[in-house]
Amino acid sequence: MMYTKEEIRAVRFYTGDVEGSEPFWSDPKAYVVLNSLFFDGIGTETARAGEGKYLDPDIIADIPRLAGFFNALFSVFGKNRSETERHTFRVERFSDYSVMKQKGHTVSFTSTSEAGFLSEYRDRTGIALMKFIIPQGTPCIPMGEVLSEYVKSSEAEVLLPPFMELDITESAVSPGNMCITDRNGAPPVTECRVLCGKYRRITVNENSDKYGAEAGIRVFNALNEGREPSAEDIALYIAWKRELFTVSERTDND
């Protein structure tokens, strides 16, 4: 499969493989902000800041560059279909898992691994074990196959797009997995089987309201400093997030 320079840069950036000195491209954990933009409200941003994760305002300060990144990454999903059925794993924060379960689809980019679960997840409070079945033909990005030099090849990461249907079947946590713990040493809240289904195409509004993004910067700065953002900034930022993406009607994976 052939990818453009912009597409490869977008995939590398999402994995944390940064390059150059430009502020937008310099954060190896930009995915913290990139994924939060798909969630309603500011609950995700607040939770990440509470876990000590930095909300980088440079990511939303340059809307054209942000839109270019998203469009390039979406283009890679459009080009890439799983050649076989894949079985992958993810340990999700229970709060985010609950949103996915309620909505019936991935909310943001969702990183899964063919390498299985780890023994502990110190960056998460309250966890859900997710076992994914990715049917042949499903849009996804197997990082080690798309990137010739993937710095995290041992993770066997497979990235799923936002707004992909999920058929979730919960079960009791198996005895062998009760030893997997979160940052507080607590075992998983639930375990589930997840069948990936159809997806929705997404476009990005490059002309979204800059004042909403500027309000978002103030929200980020407040949360990073442990302060409560102003109600006005929160409202502007939430409205901007809703305006940033346009989601098509449900489509088959074609």
Side-chain angles (χ1 to χ4, degrees):
M1 182 65 67
M2 297 294 293
Y3 303 103
T4 67
K5 178 177 66 176
E6 292 75 18
E7 289 169 344
I8 290 297
R9 187 179 196 185
V11 176
R12 288 180 57 200
F13 181 57
Y14 187 83
T15 70
D17 185 3
V18 299
E19 62 181 25
S21 59
E22 298 176 62
F24 180 90
W25 298 106
S26 300
D27 187 351
K29 294 187 177 180
Y31 61 84
V32 173
V33 168
L34 296 170
N35 284 331
S36 73
L37 298 179
F38 292 93
F39 283 84
D40 297 332
I42 65 164
T44 296
E45 291 88 339
T46 302
R48 299 299 175 271
E51 293 170 349
K53 294 182 172 61
Y54 179 63
L55 301 172
D56 190 346
D58 288 325
I59 302 300
I60 61 174
D62 189 336
I63 298 176
R65 188 160 287 173
L66 179 66
F69 158 79
F70 277 126
N71 285 328
L73 195 57
F74 292 144
S75 179
V76 178
F77 282 112
K79 290 182 176 181
N80 215 336
R81 301 288 187 274
S82 182
E83 295 182 355
T84 61
E85 179 176 283
R86 296 176 181 269
H87 293 253
T88 63
F89 306 83
R90 177 174 177 81
V91 172
E92 185 61 271
R93 294 168 183 83
F94 186 72
S95 57
D96 289 348
Y97 163 76
S98 297
V99 175
M100 281 194 282
K101 181 184 176 186
Q102 186 270 324
K103 291 182 176 292
H105 59 73
T106 54
V107 178
S108 62
F109 299 108
T110 301
S111 176
T112 70
S113 172
E114 292 180 307
F117 299 126
L118 300 178
S119 60
E120 60 182 2
Y121 293 82
R122 294 185 177 180
D123 63 336
R124 301 168 196 186
T125 301
I127 54 177
L129 306 184
M130 306 181 73
K131 300 178 179 180
F132 287 83
I133 300 172
I134 304 174
Q136 182 179 9
T138 300
C140 64
I141 301 178
M143 294 299 187
E145 297 175 18
V146 173
L147 300 176
S148 57
E149 297 181 5
Y150 181 40
V151 295
K152 301 177 183 178
S153 57
S154 62
E155 296 183 6
E157 181 180 4
V158 179
L159 190 66
L160 302 177
F163 298 96
M164 171 171 283
E165 285 185 351
L166 302 177
D167 183 356
I168 298 175
T169 304
E170 287 188 343
S171 61
V173 180
S174 61
N177 287 332
M178 287 297 291
C179 60
I180 300 174
T181 56
D182 68 3
R183 69 186 301 172
N184 297 321
V189 179
T190 190
E191 184 172 317
C192 66
R193 167 189 174 276
V194 186
L195 177 63
C196 297
K198 300 176 183 179
Y199 75 106
R200 299 186 184 189
R201 302 181 190 277
I202 305 167
T203 55
V204 187
N205 180 10
E206 296 185 26
N207 299 312
S208 59
D209 181 9
K210 68 175 183 178
Y211 298 107
E214 290 170 355
I217 291 172
R218 293 191 293 273
V219 169
F220 285 9
N221 288 334
L223 293 175
N224 286 334
E225 296 167 8
R227 297 184 288 108
E228 179 73 22
S230 75
E232 180 181 4
D233 281 343
I234 292 173
L236 287 170
Y237 171 57
I238 291 173
W240 175 73
K241 287 205 296 183
R242 290 173 179 163
E243 181 189 3
L244 187 59
F245 301 110
T246 299
V247 184
S248 72
E249 293 299 319
R250 188 169 297 146
T251 65
D252 290 325
N253 293 348
D254 55 14

